[in-house]
Amino acid sequence: MTEVPERWSRARVFPDMWVDPDEDPRDSDGVAPDGELATLREYLRDYRLTLLLKCEGLDAEQMARRSVPPSTMSLLGLVRHLAEVERDWRGWIVSEVPAPRLYGARDGDFGGAAPRQELVESAFADLAREQAATDAALSAHPDLGARVCRDGDSARGLWVHRIEEYARHCGHADLLRECIDGRVGQ
């Protein structure tokens, strides 16, 4: 990429935001949830929505663009990676043999992120499916102190780790999106 895009935001009320508050799907206009589990679910939901917002309106070429060479990271790669991660975490809490990797060998999630619309669509479908399956597996463990993982980690630890993973990758998505078309905002 040789041309540097101009920085911009769609938000007008708070220019450092991604969208204005009345357009933000993460803003529930309500009080904070009661209880630790409800709070963890809301934070995870908001980070998942943030990732979707950062990808919104981009075509397949933009989704697959590796904006920070020599890194193989792209927004499409992040979506595929998070689908892979959800599947992997589920494998730590279910008793059956872990499911095979979605995208092949190590780094296949990023390396296979090509600018094809069918890959973008299947990545978002994979992510939604894997999120739902991991959410369902974790919902069987409402006691956050319960030891649910093969390594003895708690349900709480798994929730917090998932939030951390999405938060970290949403930071990557911020930078990737800004490199693609200049759009900024938290």
Side-chain angles (χ1 to χ4, degrees), residues 10-142:
R10 203 172 86 197
R12 300 293 172 246
V13 176
F14 302 108
D16 63 331
M17 301 298 287
W18 186 256
V19 293
D20 288 327
D22 60 343
E23 297 175 22
D24 194 336
R26 299 164 298 183
D27 187 9
S28 63
D29 273 340
V31 296
D34 288 330
E36 186 179 3
L37 182 56
T39 300
L40 293 170
R41 284 184 173 140
E42 185 171 290
Y43 269 84
L44 182 60
R45 177 192 69 98
D46 286 353
Y47 278 119
R48 286 172 170 175
L49 284 169
T50 297
L51 179 68
L52 297 178
L53 289 170
K54 295 297 176 171
C55 297
E56 190 176 71
L58 299 177
D59 62 27
E61 184 280 322
Q62 292 168 313
M63 286 290 296
R65 188 180 299 165
R66 294 176 175 139
S67 303
V68 189
S71 173
T72 60
M73 193 176 294
S74 65
L75 287 169
L76 177 56
L78 285 176
V79 171
R80 290 164 51 108
H81 172 70
L82 286 166
E84 199 76 80
V85 166
E86 290 280 0
R87 177 176 275 219
D88 185 54
W89 284 327
R90 191 171 62 258
W92 283 89
I93 58 176
V94 296
S95 58
E96 62 254 11
V97 175
R101 293 183 59 85
L102 289 167
Y103 306 110
R106 184 171 188 260
D107 292 330
D109 38 7
F110 289 104
R116 297 196 329 255
Q117 188 59 36
E118 68 273 10
L119 289 181
V120 173
E121 291 169 9
S122 69
F124 281 110
D126 290 344
L127 180 60
R129 182 190 65 246
E130 297 303 322
Q131 288 170 336
T134 303
D135 289 348
L138 262 179
S139 71
H141 305 284

